[in-house]
Amino acid sequence: MKKVILIFGVLSLLIFARPVLGLTSNSATATVSTTIVDSESAAEKSFISETIHGIQQFYQYTGFANAESGNLIMILVGIIFIYLGIKFDYEPLLLIPIGTGVIIGNIPFVAGNQTGIYEAGSVLNYLYFGVVKGIYPPLIFLGIGAMTDFSSLIANPKLMLLGAAAQIGVFATFLGALYLGFNLPEAGAIGIIGGADGPTAIFLSSKLANGVNILADGTTVKNLIGPIAIAAYSYMALVPVIQPPLMKLLTSKRERLIRMKPPRAVSQKEKMIFPVVALLLTTFISPSALPLLGMLFFGNLLKESGRTERLADTARTKLIDIVTILLGVTVGASTQADIFITKDSMMIFALGAVSFVIATCGGLLFAKFMNLFLKGDEKLNPLIGAAGVSAVPDSARVVHAEGLKADSQNYLLMHAMAPNVAGVIGSAIAAGIILSFLS
Amino acid sequence: MKHLLLYIDTLSEGYIILVTGLTVVFSGLLLLTLVFKYGLPLMLYVYKIISKGPDKKVKEISPKVNEEFTGEIAAAISVAIHMYLDVKHDKENAILTIKQARKLYSPWSSKIYGAYKNRL
């Protein structure tokens, strides 16, 4: 065996060395000799300049030569994202992949070498495919379904309405975007930022504002997936900053002290029936949201059926982790400065902030409105209305923390989880409605 | 003028979507609320009658769930079980790992270079 390799090696060496040893055909040697004669005269002078030229050419390909101020700004933004994630623990599982993605996407490069995320055929472009075609969001929803415990919602179904109330943010932003001059599909995609649900926002924008669809008047919609996703995720991470002042503004001290009666225990049978019935009802109402709601309740059934623990375990750990990594990095990388830094992106960011505010206020005020009809220990602590903006489970945690600030013995987490998960269902339904109207 | 008309048209369509969208979301979740508030207990009650019917009289089956047993108690019990299972090991790991104290050979710490130093 060794001999065979040795012989093969020697043969291949000979083949490669043939031009050097001058064993090629006559015509080839003739041209080589002439070029050698030509170049020899200039060799001494040009050697150094050639080298410098080579270095210069190499320099042209480096990031230093191609850097523009936009790239540097975005790299700074990426570093800030990473810093916020590490230092303040604001959704680090999202901000660190996205922040790194922002840096990766904004390294300056020479176009045309299949490097960038928007160049067809590049590796990043293939990974971005899952975002553009809306593949990652349903997979994330599968994992969320397998993580979520709907029992507090089953115990107190009326809290479902708080999840609906917060969707007012979606439609108000939609209208605001129309006033700012976006066309209908773009405005729909921007509105869903108010749903405070990253996967839903990506899903809807990949269907409506993907830069491919052509409108009735012949113009192509803009590609807004990047700005919308970044706005949705960054405001979700900032929920602990945005929500508390609004809560204090809209609720009185007395209301914040309301203790809700503990939810009743929910039987396993109810938990098993919930995903099936909810799947049927919600998808019959809004079939366009089928990829999201179908996967959400499928994941939940895997968790609650009691027979598919292995599948549920994979869905809520490994699978969702893998998809989150890919989604985070590619969404981050899609903020390539020349495409991302536009007036539209700035407007989307402004609208996103407004939509979070409106959604939170909608939830809080609707909880107060419901209190008008409820008596005694049925009364709701209006703080839990703020959890109606999905952002699972961060907004529920914020509600819990605010409740504890008012009364250190009042644990609202379980109650807040109900509008929180209802918000996920609500924003998915809203996305389905917008999609069925506008696509 | 046409552009302005188009703009107003878009806005009016926007309002239509706003109103219908909100109505649909609300009614959808209201439907879910009603189903889970009244439909689900009814389904479970019917199920109880079907499954336990032959043994019991229908009157004896209560549609009410145990009100005393709240979610907080369930949560406390499940935390206790979780913590208990976390501490308990019914299968011990059979592989014992002892940290290797002896360093593998490395020329950086080799004595042999020190021993031959004078000869070189």
Side-chain angles (χ1 to χ4, degrees), chain A residues 280-294:
Chain A
L280 287 172
L281 284 177
T282 52
T283 50
F284 266 82
I285 293 167
S286 175
S288 312
L290 186 60
L292 296 174
L293 289 169

Side-chain angles (χ1 to χ4, degrees), chain A residues 157-158 160-161 164-165 171 174-175 178-179 184 262-265 269-270 273-274 281-282 285 366 414 433 437-438, chain B residues 7 10-11 13-15 17-18 20-22 24-26 28-30 32-33 36 40 44 47 69-72:
Chain A
K158 62 175 174 293
M160 201 107 63
L161 292 175
F171 293 101
F174 167 66
L175 212 61
L178 282 182
Y179 270 105
L184 280 168
R264 70 176 172 85
K269 238 175 262 157
E270 286 172 287
I273 295 169
F274 180 84
L281 284 177
T282 52
I285 293 167
F366 196 77
M414 266 177 100
I433 295 162
F437 262 108
L438 298 177
Chain B
Y7 180 66
T10 315
L11 270 184
E13 200 177 336
Y15 274 106
I17 294 173
L18 171 83
T20 35
L22 270 181
V24 174
V25 172
F26 259 98
L29 286 172
L30 190 68
L32 269 185
T33 310
F36 286 105
L40 194 64
L44 289 171
Y47 178 76
F69 185 69
T70 62
E72 276 180 349

Side-chain angles (χ1 to χ4, degrees), chain B residues 68-80:
Chain B
E68 295 283 296
F69 185 69
T70 62
E72 276 180 349
I73 299 172
I77 293 173
S78 36
V79 167

Side-chain angles (χ1 to χ4, degrees), chain A residues 223-389:
Chain A
N223 182 358
L224 301 175
I225 303 173
I228 289 173
I230 294 283
Y233 276 120
S234 41
Y235 288 125
M236 268 168 72
L238 289 175
V239 156
V241 181
I242 300 172
Q243 287 199 324
L246 294 169
M247 290 174 180
K248 289 207 182 95
L249 194 71
L250 290 176
T251 55
S252 64
K253 176 88 180 163
R254 233 182 72 225
E255 283 171 323
R256 267 175 276 159
L257 288 174
I258 294 176
R259 290 204 183 185
M260 295 174 65
K261 79 170 182 196
R264 70 176 172 85
V266 174
S267 70
Q268 195 60 34
K269 238 175 262 157
E270 286 172 287
K271 284 189 192 173
M272 283 185 231
I273 295 169
F274 180 84
V276 180
V277 173
L279 171 65
L280 287 172
L281 284 177
T282 52
T283 50
F284 266 82
I285 293 167
S286 175
S288 312
L290 186 60
L292 296 174
L293 289 169
M295 291 304 248
L296 178 76
F297 291 121
F298 170 50
N300 191 243
L301 188 63
L302 288 181
K303 172 177 180 279
E304 302 297 357
S305 70
R307 307 277 179 191
T308 48
E309 199 41 47
R310 276 177 48 177
L311 302 185
D313 207 39
T314 304
R316 71 169 155 251
T317 52
K318 306 287 185 296
L319 182 66
I320 198 170
D321 288 353
I322 293 169
V323 182
T324 307
I325 290 170
L326 293 176
L327 185 81
V329 170
T330 48
V331 161
S334 72
T335 62
Q336 204 174 298
D338 50 341
I339 289 164
F340 188 76
I341 299 186
T342 55
K343 206 175 121 224
D344 287 342
S345 303
M346 299 304 125
M347 285 201 282
I348 289 170
F349 266 82
L351 283 167
V354 174
S355 73
F356 263 64
V357 171
I358 296 174
T360 308
C361 295
L364 287 166
L365 292 174
F366 196 77
K368 289 174 83 161
F369 175 70
M370 279 171 79
N371 263 350
L372 297 178
F373 303 96
L374 300 168
K375 290 182 207 80
D377 62 353
E378 289 278 307
K379 273 199 188 301
L380 308 176
N381 188 321
L383 286 180
I384 65 167
V389 299

Side-chain angles (χ1 to χ4, degrees), chain A residues 42-55:
Chain A
E44 281 180 17
K45 271 187 280 172
S46 71
F47 178 72
I48 295 167
S49 65
E50 280 287 322
T51 317
I52 291 171
H53 179 69
I55 291 171

